[in-house]
Amino acid sequence: RTIPVPCLPEPVANRVRGVRAALCWSVESAELGRRHNNANVLSVGERMVSEELAMQILETWLKTRFDGGRHQRRIDEIDAM
């Protein structure tokens, strides 16, 4: 997984082949971004999230594993585009 440099918007990152960026604003969104979308780039809005929450989001995102299963089918379809 990669942690992008500040100011790289999630929509821009997702235009790069193989990148699955998750825009996260809560611990739950970070967990779901990893579990369901196998996000390999984390994007956190600096003005929307406190530094403390950003660290919680990062910790959650790094420790959460991809669920695979039915979610893998979608990832494969997107990667094939």
Side-chain angles (χ1 to χ4, degrees):
R1 289 183 290 237
T2 306
I3 300 171
V5 294
C7 302
L8 179 62
E10 173 260 347
V12 173
N14 279 324
R15 290 180 179 222
V16 177
R17 186 170 188 79
V19 170
R20 291 177 303 281
L23 175 59
C24 299
W25 60 91
S26 67
V27 170
E28 181 181 25
S29 64
E31 181 179 352
L32 292 174
R34 287 287 303 135
R35 287 182 54 213
H36 293 182
N37 297 324
N38 199 17
N40 55 11
V41 173
L42 173 63
S43 180
V44 179
E46 175 184 14
R47 289 182 279 171
M48 306 298 287
V49 175
S50 69
E51 184 176 338
E52 179 182 343
L53 179 56
M55 292 308 295
Q56 292 171 356
I57 289 170
L58 175 61
E59 289 172 13
T60 299
W61 188 79
L62 288 172
K63 74 176 183 183
T64 303
R65 299 287 170 231
F66 179 48
D67 283 349
R70 66 186 175 97
H71 306 294
Q72 184 62 54
R73 231 179 8 253
R74 181 180 60 250
I75 302 287
D76 292 341
E77 289 174 4
I78 292 169
D79 286 348
M81 295 174 122

